[in-house]
Amino acid sequence: MLREFFLNEVKTAVSLLVKDKKLGQMSLEDNYNLQSEIPKNSQFGDFAVNVSSLSRYTKLAPAKTAEIIASEINKSGFEINVTAGFINFKISSSMLNKIINEILEKKLDYAKNNVGKGEKVILEYVSANPTGPFHIGHGRWAAMGSALANIMKYSGYDVYQEFYINDAGSQIQKLGKSLYIRILQELGIEIDFPSDEEEAKNFYTGEFLIPVAKEFIEAEKERAKTIKNIWTGDFNEEQLKYISKYARLKMLAKQQALLKNFRTFFDNFFSEITLHESGKVENCIKKLQELGVLYEKDGAIWFASSKYGDEKDRVIKKSDGAYTYLTADIAYHYDKLQRGFTKLLNIWGADHHGYIPRMRAAVEVLGYNPDSLEVLLGQLVNLVINGEEVRMGKRTKMVTLDDLIDEVGVDATRYWMIMKSIDTTLDFDIELAKSKTDDNPVFYVQYAHARACSILRNASADKPDIINNTIQKGFEPDLSKADFNLIWIADDEKSVETTKKLILKLEEYKFVVQSAAKNKTPYLVTKYLQELACDFHKFYTFSKVLVENEKLMCARLSVVKAVILILKSAMNLIAVDTPEKM
RNA sequence: GCGUCCGUAGCUCAGCUGGAUAGAGCACCUGCCUUCUAAGCAGGGUGUCGAGAGUUCGAAUCUCUCCGGGCGUACCA
């Protein structure tokens, strides 16, 4: 990574100078922190390190400090100039050529790295109730989570993706009853959900269960007949149990199918029911009891979480004998820890943020570092239709993730969901995401890729000896026939400038991937893709690739090939397609 | 009330471990296709960085107060 390289040049120089007491009054004990950056204005250079902050130790003016450090650096392969407190580096064309060679050699693995150091991470996300279709917010977690998992794996984390199925609570009963009613309706019985608003809250009154009821009757003809015959105006316990299970498994299957279609792949779907049946919940409570953090009050059992940073204590076992959602979730996180994961990474909706302190408390009490729990809080998604924000409420018909994907496609949906920082409320503008014009960033990036592919296609048709399109070598330029120096001695200044910028941008991919992985910010990848596509389009405008001079042509073809590889690698990370033709 | 996220160009957002004239996309205007895909490129301007105070040689960035908006504040999940 060139950023790191130049930073190390400076750090090495500083260490040497300090050791010889040549850097003002700075001493070995002084704890300094430097960073390298890409100057906003490229006339300063290609990379820069600002050493102004060292002035507090050197007791010299920033410019003087920079001067001394710069004179200590051994320049090979780059130039240095000093302005104010900045040490600016300008890299040589041979370093640029090396970048292209490295990309063509490592291909999609160019930016693979090991900042994760094999850390065992369990990433839990989406984790919806199997009680209905996904809403668009689930889509955000699915897109973000799957992209993050890809990025982190690429960066050396050992990531295990898990979906916690919330299938044990009272909501399953509610789902079963609702399907029961829908089935009866389909069988021609006069019945409807309660008209009283309060009572209706015990049912899922949405229409999504109507097709499920139809499927049920089709698949379970005999049972349907029985259900109809024994209907007395009350739910039959045995039938309700059966229907509840049917509904639960059906909804889950639908969710799983959708996730797959949305390129979100989990290593495991963890059912809350199994947590109860295996006795893990009981065990966890026993453990908490032994640790002396539980007590009884008002007929309920409480967890003294307020002693561990929570604002108040929480109920573990309700006075009616049932466990709370939290209880099972503590047991679930305990299970994750016992499975050997050292980092529990969760994506939760912002509406769950109050939940973090109590879960941290639980992790701490159970004898683990509370920091092993890391929650990425996702702000919610608003749908914008025709410029109007659509609130998801009782009156408006819910727009499901299915609907959205049907409307705008998987690529655009994923891209838009990942594009913005997770900290900002996302306005998902359907019209914009659907548009096939320049206001749509997905197409801008895909177009760059298709355009680049088109050049290679044309080249291999005309010059098969320079660029090869056999199965083993997919549009691979023959590097031995390229002369990269021709790129840099072209008379066209714009061509040289935009090519250089493009290659530096390709190299930046390494830094972007690592930042996105470390900071858990997949949107950096989409931002980068935008910039890379832009730099490629500029290169395309100012540098004709298919020129007479075959050595120059081959050099430029290599640049194009490198762009395709990096675009593809980055798009793979966020799981968005890169069509070769558009 | 308390907790939390957000408030930067007309719109959507980057930048926030303090540092070189505050950036990008869209929208708007003007040019550029007999030449590798015009879903493209070139040029054009815009900011009391929500307000105020503080820390600092230096603040969009850190601290405090206030204002505005989202979310939460259950023996629901």
Side-chain angles (χ1 to χ4, degrees):
Chain A
M1 212 161 53
L2 286 175
R3 266 182 198 245
E4 221 167 47
F5 172 77
F6 288 114
L7 181 61
N8 285 334
E9 291 289 317
V10 173
K11 282 184 174 169
T12 308
V14 170
S15 313
L16 284 171
L17 287 164
V18 170
K19 216 172 92 192
D20 296 346
K21 301 200 160 83
K22 284 189 195 154
L23 197 57
Q25 299 177 31
M26 190 160 172
S27 73
L28 286 167
E29 288 81 48
D30 291 327
N31 219 340
Y32 67 96
N33 184 24
L34 289 178
Q35 277 173 67
S36 56
E37 56 186 292
I38 295 172
K40 286 173 205 148
N41 189 335
S42 60
Q43 74 185 22
F44 289 116
D46 304 314
F47 293 89
V49 177
N50 182 356
V51 296
S52 307
S53 60
L54 298 186
S55 288
R56 83 180 58 174
Y57 305 119
T58 62
K59 312 286 183 203
L60 299 168
K64 184 71 188 163
T65 304
E67 198 73 42
I68 296 172
I69 297 170
S71 64
E72 182 70 22
I73 295 172
N74 220 337
K75 301 146 198 96
S76 65
F78 55 88
E79 290 170 34
I80 287 185
N81 71 78
V82 175
T83 50
F86 289 81
I87 299 172
N88 298 299
F89 300 90
K90 197 158 260 176
I91 76 172
S92 65
S93 51
S94 69
M95 285 181 94
L96 294 167
N97 299 345
K98 259 189 225 154
I99 294 170
I100 299 302
N101 274 298
E102 192 188 336
I103 296 173
L104 295 193
E105 188 195 317
K106 296 189 178 157
K107 301 195 169 62
L108 298 178
D109 292 340
Y110 173 69
K112 237 183 189 170
N113 66 87
N114 195 28
V115 296
K117 296 181 186 129
E119 184 175 17
K120 273 174 75 72
V121 179
I122 180 165
L123 174 62
E124 181 210 328
Y125 59 107
V126 186
S127 293
N129 299 335
T131 55
F134 287 136
H135 54 70
I136 55 175
H138 289 124
R140 189 175 195 186
W141 317 144
M144 281 251 170
S146 53
L148 181 58
N150 295 338
I151 292 165
M152 289 178 74
K153 282 185 193 173
Y154 194 77
S155 294
Y157 292 86
D158 184 1
V159 183
Y160 188 80
Q161 302 175 70
E162 195 158 273
F163 180 117
Y164 180 59
I165 312 165
N166 244 238
D167 53 7
S170 55
Q171 77 279 5
I172 294 298
Q173 182 87 344
K174 187 167 141 184
L175 177 72
K177 285 184 192 167
S178 308
L179 180 59
Y180 207 136
I181 290 179
R182 288 298 187 194
I183 290 170
L184 292 168
Q185 284 177 341
E186 288 302 314
L187 292 167
I189 289 171
E190 286 276 327
I191 179 171
D192 209 343
F193 298 109
S195 51
D196 179 85
E197 220 171 281
E198 273 309 303
E199 279 179 57
K201 279 186 182 162
N202 296 318
F203 296 88
Y204 293 105
T205 57
E207 288 173 9
F208 66 92
L209 285 175
I210 295 175
V212 180
K214 284 181 175 152
E215 286 166 37
F216 180 90
I217 293 166
E218 187 60 34
E220 308 263 353
K221 288 198 179 78
E222 284 306 309
R223 188 178 286 273
K225 212 179 276 175
T226 313
I227 288 171
K228 186 177 181 182
N229 290 337
I230 62 171
W231 176 247
T232 56
D234 258 329
F235 296 118
N236 173 287
E237 270 311 313
E238 191 197 324
Q239 300 300 347
L240 177 60
K241 212 171 156 193
Y242 189 89
I243 291 173
S244 294
K245 186 172 181 190
Y246 179 92
R248 166 165 69 80
L249 296 178
K250 201 76 191 176
M251 293 321 297
L252 177 63
K254 280 177 190 275
Q255 290 183 348
Q256 288 174 329
L258 173 55
L259 287 169
K260 212 169 157 193
N261 179 40
F262 198 52
R263 301 169 199 153
T264 300
F265 306 105
F266 288 95
D267 294 300
N268 189 30
F269 287 82
F270 192 111
S271 155
E272 184 185 345
I273 290 174
T274 65
L275 207 54
H276 291 277
E277 286 177 347
S278 64
K280 281 178 181 163
V281 177
E282 286 294 339
N283 279 342
C284 182
I285 292 177
K286 207 191 282 171
K287 172 100 183 167
L288 292 173
Q289 215 136 31
E290 283 164 13
L291 291 164
V293 293
L294 301 185
Y295 64 91
E296 207 174 328
K297 194 181 102 186
D298 304 332
I301 295 176
W302 296 70
F303 167 35
S305 58
S306 63
K307 283 187 190 147
Y308 302 88
D310 197 5
E311 57 183 63
K312 55 179 274 202
D313 292 347
R314 308 291 168 180
V315 170
I316 284 293
K317 192 172 191 176
K318 297 188 258 180
S319 51
D320 69 0
Y323 299 125
T324 60
Y325 174 78
L326 174 69
T327 312
D329 217 14
I330 291 174
Y332 174 45
H333 282 79
Y334 187 37
D335 185 66
K336 288 186 194 174
L337 289 162
Q338 288 186 315
R339 275 188 271 162
F341 294 106
T342 50
K343 177 65 100 181
L344 314 186
L345 198 53
N346 293 345
I347 298 180
W348 287 349
D351 50 339
H352 285 73
H353 75 84
Y355 206 77
I356 298 173
R358 64 193 85 164
M359 191 54 77
R360 273 180 68 94
V363 171
E364 189 180 342
V365 161
L366 289 166
Y368 295 87
N369 182 349
D371 289 335
S372 57
L373 176 72
E374 185 177 345
V375 180
L376 306 178
L377 273 188
Q379 296 298 316
L380 304 177
V381 182
N382 292 319
L383 205 55
V384 175
I385 300 174
N386 300 322
E388 295 269 324
E389 199 174 286
V390 180
R391 308 281 315 176
M392 297 298 137
K394 285 261 158 53
R395 284 178 204 99
T396 50
K397 196 172 161 247
M398 189 172 97
V399 177
T400 66
L401 183 57
D402 266 302
D403 297 339
L404 185 68
I405 292 172
D406 279 351
E407 196 80 11
V408 308
V410 172
D411 281 343
T413 306
R414 285 191 63 91
Y415 200 96
W416 278 74
M417 291 294 190
I418 293 166
M419 201 167 55
K420 302 278 166 68
S421 149
I422 197 165
D423 287 334
T424 103
T425 311
L426 175 66
D427 284 320
F428 197 106
D429 189 321
I430 290 201
E431 307 305 319
L432 223 55
K434 250 164 62 177
S435 77
K436 300 231 155 108
T437 60
D438 27 335
D439 27 354
N440 200 334
V442 197
F443 291 102
Y444 183 79
V445 176
Q446 290 183 325
Y447 181 63
H449 180 266
R451 213 179 195 188
C453 287
S454 158
I455 297 174
L456 298 195
R457 259 197 316 274
N458 294 339
S460 81
D462 288 353
K463 307 272 180 185
D465 53 319
I466 288 180
I467 178 161
N468 197 321
N469 186 27
T470 57
I471 292 167
Q472 297 84 355
K473 302 187 151 200
F475 293 115
E476 195 82 8
D478 184 347
L479 282 175
S480 67
K481 292 184 174 142
D483 183 352
F484 283 95
N485 292 322
L486 295 176
I487 288 179
W488 310 117
I489 59 171
D491 347 318
D492 186 351
E493 211 175 289
K494 266 291 200 188
S495 166
V496 173
E497 183 193 317
T498 50
T499 306
K500 178 177 177 183
K501 216 176 153 210
L502 175 64
I503 294 174
L504 285 172
K505 184 59 73 178
L506 288 169
E507 200 277 336
E508 200 184 327
Y509 183 50
K510 288 184 172 178
F511 177 77
V512 169
V513 167
Q514 294 188 22
S515 306
K518 273 193 284 196
N519 305 320
K520 324 280 187 293
T521 45
Y523 76 90
L524 290 180
V525 174
T526 56
K527 198 168 146 259
Y528 171 77
L529 277 163
Q530 218 62 28
E531 292 164 3
L532 176 57
C534 177
D535 286 340
F536 172 70
H537 284 309
K538 283 180 182 157
F539 162 83
Y540 180 93
T541 305
F542 293 106
S543 305
K544 186 155 166 75
V545 177
L546 306 181
V547 290
E548 290 293 319
N549 184 334
E550 290 195 351
K551 288 182 169 177
L552 175 60
M553 173 167 97
C554 196
R556 288 198 172 139
L557 279 172
S558 304
V559 174
V560 173
K561 177 70 184 180
V563 170
I564 289 173
L565 288 168
I566 300 299
L567 281 174
K568 208 175 168 62
S569 171
M571 290 286 257
N572 283 350
L573 291 182
I574 60 170
V576 175
D577 267 349
T578 43
E580 292 184 4
K581 283 183 189 173
M582 281 173 82

